[in-house]
Amino acid sequence: MADYQDCPSYLQEFLFYMLTIRGRSPRTVDAYHVDLRAFLRYIKSAKLLRQPSPAPEDLQQLAIHDLPLQTISEITLADVYGFLTYMLEQCGNNAKTRARKVSALRSFFNYLTKKANLLRTNPVENLEVPALKKSVPRYLTLEESLELLNDTTPASSASYERDFCILTLFLNCGMRLSELVGINLTDIRDDTVRLLGKGNKERIVYLNAACQKALASYLAVRKPPVKTASKDALFLSSRGNRISPRRVEQILEEWLKRAGLAGRGYSPHKLRHTAATLLYQYGEVDIRVLKEILGHVSLSTTEIYTHVSDRQMENAASRSPLSSVSPSARKRVPSVKTDPSETGSEQEPPEFHADPGVQKGDGQTEHRK
């Protein structure tokens, strides 16, 4: 976690408020720090130095620790639009990145106006979030997941049981990276594990047979931690400390490479997507249950997984009560065949003549004299 010494006092206070009072994780607060520091640098360049479009490398060199609160009080919504436009055109920020910056700005100015009472008006009160393109999450197929877990190449490694257990928990429980590295031994009880998610929200996830076997195999060879601070950590590094998020990423990269799945953009978070997708596709887990497993606040967040199940859509189509209906065979109308060689053209149907007379309309026959 950064010490935020490069920030003005009001920004430092906001960051510590988010960390200690609101209970945001250090990584989340560090992200706020990066986004708001960039915003204040832009404001200093645009409003004080009269340079609204500096080169990105020059902007990064600007110090903001002395940026007065008076300048912040003069910020308008137009200034914020200018910042977002600059981040789009000069820094190449996509809609998702700019949406994150909007979220940071909203929280920051809400704190300055309603919590710290340092500002009278909130310039971003009516600021909208950039429209985000809803895309299907990237995930491993069932076959790829099996290839990843069935890789026996590292079986001779001292960390094989630990690494296999990590991947098994990711693919079966759909936990976040931060949740996995934060698991303590005391969090595991029988067939459940307690996870600490976003906003310090706890949830209980059940462990299936594969997870229980992987945990038992790992705990049988787990070495004691080196430091007292790591004594409760479930997953330890080779040095005996709580394993870091970066080390978990490296482990996944190594296993993906051995399984021939490297270079496809798979990450620990993609394994979370994989777990959710496989549960929905093959386990036919209800979307509301899946929401609780993943620890989503909103059901709309979980609904992205309903768009990736071609298999379920195929099954749903086949279960229609009308799926067995087929069209009736068309009845063929008989036609009179003729020999074109006799007349040179299509021959008219022959007329009927009564014999020995002509039949009248009343059914009687008139005989010719």
Side-chain angles (χ1 to χ4, degrees):
M1 186 182 68
D3 55 11
Y4 314 131
Q5 293 299 315
D6 57 347
C7 301
S9 59
Y10 50 85
L11 179 53
Q12 287 184 33
E13 292 166 3
F14 163 74
L15 296 173
F16 287 124
Y17 164 78
M18 296 300 290
L19 187 66
T20 59
I21 304 301
R22 296 300 301 276
R24 297 293 186 264
S25 69
R27 293 186 68 179
T28 299
V29 177
D30 286 348
Y32 278 133
H33 173 221
V34 171
D35 290 338
L36 294 173
R37 182 179 58 186
F39 173 69
L40 295 188
R41 284 172 173 171
Y42 171 83
I43 291 299
K44 181 175 183 179
S45 178
K47 299 184 78 70
L48 298 183
L49 304 180
R50 306 299 179 184
Q51 297 176 355
S53 186
E57 55 271 18
D58 294 336
L59 193 69
Q60 294 177 1
Q61 303 302 319
L62 284 181
I64 58 170
H65 66 276
D66 57 347
L67 188 62
L69 184 62
Q70 178 62 32
T71 303
I72 305 302
S73 66
E74 297 171 355
I75 292 175
T76 65
L77 186 57
D79 295 324
V80 179
Y81 286 149
F83 167 68
L84 295 175
T85 301
Y86 174 83
M87 299 309 294
L88 169 64
E89 297 178 348
Q90 299 296 325
C91 301
N93 285 181
N94 57 29
K96 185 176 182 180
T97 303
R98 285 179 281 119
R100 189 192 69 193
K101 287 178 168 56
V102 168
S103 176
L105 288 169
R106 282 178 167 178
S107 298
F108 177 53
F109 281 102
N110 182 69
Y111 167 81
L112 293 179
T113 53
K114 295 182 179 181
K115 301 298 180 181
N117 296 318
L118 296 176
L119 297 182
R120 292 184 178 181
T121 58
N122 185 346
V124 300
E125 185 174 4
N126 297 319
L127 180 61
E128 298 179 6
V129 178
L132 299 178
K133 178 182 178 182
K134 291 186 178 181
S135 57
V136 175
R138 184 185 296 272
Y139 62 95
L140 280 76
T141 65
L142 176 58
E143 292 73 17
E144 290 174 336
S145 300
L146 292 173
E147 288 177 10
L148 183 64
L149 291 176
N150 289 335
D151 179 21
T152 58
T153 304
S156 59
S157 170
S159 61
Y160 170 75
E161 289 82 4
R162 180 201 65 186
D163 299 348
F164 180 85
C165 185
I166 287 174
L167 298 182
T168 300
L169 292 181
F170 270 138
L171 290 171
N172 284 275
C173 302
M175 58 186 64
R176 300 179 177 93
L177 176 57
S178 59
E179 294 169 348
L180 180 131
V181 299
I183 296 176
N184 292 324
L185 294 172
T186 53
D187 293 328
I188 301 173
R189 292 189 177 182
D190 299 326
D191 61 345
T192 65
V193 58
R194 184 183 70 95
L195 300 177
L196 188 61
K198 287 185 176 181
N200 287 330
K201 294 180 180 179
E202 295 183 1
R203 73 180 188 280
I204 301 297
V205 174
Y206 283 84
L207 302 171
N208 60 21
C211 293
Q212 294 179 50
K213 291 178 182 178
L215 278 168
S217 178
Y218 165 59
L219 292 175
V221 298
R222 176 181 177 272
K223 296 180 179 180
V226 174
K227 296 182 179 179
T228 305
S230 303
K231 67 177 182 178
D232 293 330
L234 172 61
F235 293 112
L236 301 173
S237 67
S238 57
R239 297 181 180 179
N241 303 319
R242 182 184 294 272
I243 199 167
S244 67
R246 179 54 190 151
R247 180 57 191 142
V248 174
E249 292 173 342
Q250 292 172 340
I251 290 170
L252 176 58
E253 291 170 1
E254 294 167 2
W255 280 63
L256 287 169
K257 185 177 180 180
R258 282 192 292 265
L261 300 172
R264 303 185 186 184
Y266 295 140
S267 63
H269 200 68
K270 297 301 184 293
L271 297 191
R272 172 173 162 86
H273 289 325
T274 300
T277 302
L278 296 183
L279 283 172
Y280 187 77
Q281 285 186 344
Y282 296 92
E284 298 184 356
V285 176
D286 183 84
I287 190 68
R288 293 172 180 82
V289 176
L290 189 58
K291 169 182 174 293
E292 298 302 320
I293 294 175
L294 297 176
H296 287 160
V297 175
S298 173
L299 186 63
S300 61
T301 306
T302 316
E303 286 176 344
I304 61 174
Y305 299 106
T306 65
H307 301 292
V308 298
S309 182
D310 293 337
R311 179 173 175 268
Q312 283 191 314
M313 288 190 290
E314 181 181 356
N315 290 340
S318 64
R319 291 173 184 173
S320 169
L322 302 177
S323 62
S324 61
V325 176
S326 58
S328 300
R330 182 184 294 272
K331 294 182 179 180
R332 300 186 62 183
V333 179
S335 59
V336 178
K337 296 183 179 180
T338 61
D339 187 2
S341 62
E342 295 181 357
T343 60
S345 62
E346 193 172 30
Q347 193 172 5
E348 292 290 333
E351 295 182 357
F352 173 76
H353 297 284
D355 185 29
V358 180
Q359 188 175 11
K360 289 185 176 181
D362 59 1
Q364 299 178 354
T365 302
E366 181 180 353
H367 295 276
R368 296 180 186 272
K369 293 182 179 179

